């Protein structure tokens, strides 16, 4: 891909993507770019657009499965150092897309601002969390967003305010190539109370989810009014193993991987769970994770 020569300071070829994902499986990116600032990012996007080079943006990698064959084109990696600043002004918190969600929550709590603590324990970065409207049963990230600035595939930047954004269960209207920054409007509250709520949620999460294992969180979305985990468990698939991947004993909507796992092992388990739940319950499970 010689047409990317102008960007050689920020591009590596054939970069393995597994280390950038929580599942730790999958192949390489043909080109892997880590722009140092917004200007460089914009130039790269415009160039790739003009040259028709496919682009993908890598977030925190916690809801992503990369195929064993890897991906063509450019994977753009926004690093927390360059795109992850978090700052507070009054009751508004502004975060770069690459800020870990945990950092955003910590800064908000320290500023005595409540709301985002319901997201405690969700891995990944702000951009991906917004794109997929990450959340729990107690709330999701979308409900606190007041504006989001994005970069389109053509390299145009613009800001979308609250009334131009919509969020629903694990989905959002933000479909531009890159999320750059977001602003959250929060409520002042007693930090002791905020921390107490956060601790309670964290304990519940730890009790029900295999958090100490390699995984991408829940694999499927919950079908309306049902639990994907319960359906997979009732299909008798807990602890089903293919290669180095296993349907978690603790929570059947999680697939955990070990060092020997391949993306294909995970894909086969996904297919197995989908088929079993469709046959036994007539329910089509929809993926929550993204597959490249
Ligand atoms: N259940 C089973 N077997 C299982 C797993 C769950 O019977 O293997 C049952 C539980 O006993 C419970 C019900 O299913 O009665 C719901 O389970 P849980 O409370 O664990 O919540 P969930 O619906 O499976 C959702 C989110 C999680 C989020 C939790 C807590 C989805 C797909 N999952 O899980 O989000 O952490 O609620 O708020 O919406 C994620 O999206 O990656 C994720 C982990």
């Amino acid at each position: 891909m010689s047409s990317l020569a102008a960007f050689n300071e920020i591009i590596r070829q054939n970069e393995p993507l597994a280390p950038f994902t929580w599942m730790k499986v999958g192949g390489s990116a043909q080109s892997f770019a880590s722009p140092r600032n917004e200007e460089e990012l914009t130039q790269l996007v415009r160039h790739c657009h003009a040259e028709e080079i496919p682009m993908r943006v890598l977030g925190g990698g916690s809801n992503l499965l990369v195929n064993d064959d890897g991906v063509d084109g450019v994977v753009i990696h926004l690093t927390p150092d360059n795109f992850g600043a978090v700052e507070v002004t009054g009751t508004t918190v502004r975060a770069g897309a690459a800020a870990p969600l945990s950092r955003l929550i910590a800064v908000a709590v320290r500023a005595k601002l409540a709301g985002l603590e319901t997201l405690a324990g969700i891995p990944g970065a702000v951009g991906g969390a917004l794109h997929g409207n990450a959340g729990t049963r107690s709330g999701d990230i979308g409900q606190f967003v007041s504006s989001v600035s994005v970069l389109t595939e053509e390299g145009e930047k613009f800001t979308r305010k609250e009334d131009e954004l919509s969020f629903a269960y694990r989905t959002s209207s933000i479909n531009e190539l890159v999320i750059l920054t977001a602003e959250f409007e929060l409520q002042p509250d007693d930090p002791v109370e905020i921390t107490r709520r956060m601790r309670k949620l964290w304990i519940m999460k730890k009790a029900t989810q295999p958090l100490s294992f390699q995984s991408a969180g829940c694999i499927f979305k919950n079908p309306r009014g049902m639990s994907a985990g319960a359906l997979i468990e009732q299909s008798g698939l807990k602890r089903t193993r293919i290669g180095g991947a296993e349907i978690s004993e603790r929570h059947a909507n999680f697939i955990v991987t070990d060092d020997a796992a391949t993306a294909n092992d995970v894909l086969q388990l996904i297919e197995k769970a989908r088929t079993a739940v469709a046959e036994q319950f007539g329910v089509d499970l929809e993926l929550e994770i993204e597959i490249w």
Side-chain angles (χ1 to χ4, degrees), residues 63 122 135-138 169-170 201 204-205 208-209 216-222 226-231 233-234 238 248-254 288:
N63 216 29
I122 299 181
T136 69
R137 288 172 183 276
S138 344
Y169 172 65
R170 297 299 192 272
L201 285 165
M204 266 162 48
K205 206 176 172 74
T208 53
Q209 299 180 6
C218 285
I219 295 284
F220 299 103
K221 295 182 183 180
N222 282 340
M226 287 186 266
S227 156
L231 292 171
E233 174 168 3
Q234 285 158 28
K238 268 190 172 178
S248 165
E249 156 136 68
R250 180 162 292 184
H251 194 302
N253 198 8
F254 280 65
E288 178 186 305

Side-chain angles (χ1 to χ4, degrees), residues 182-199:
E183 286 189 357
F184 302 90
E185 198 48 47
L186 304 174
Q187 291 289 327
D189 196 357
D190 175 5
V192 177
E193 278 302 301
I194 305 176
T195 310
R196 197 184 52 81
R197 285 199 294 274
M198 194 157 66
R199 197 170 295 143

Side-chain angles (χ1 to χ4, degrees), residues 59-60 83-86 94-105 123-132 134 141 179-184:
F83 293 89
V86 181
R94 186 171 193 273
L101 209 49
S102 56
R103 185 194 294 171
L104 169 65
I105 297 166
V126 168
L130 286 167
H131 176 67
I141 194 167
I179 294 174
L180 294 167
T181 58
E183 286 189 357
F184 302 90

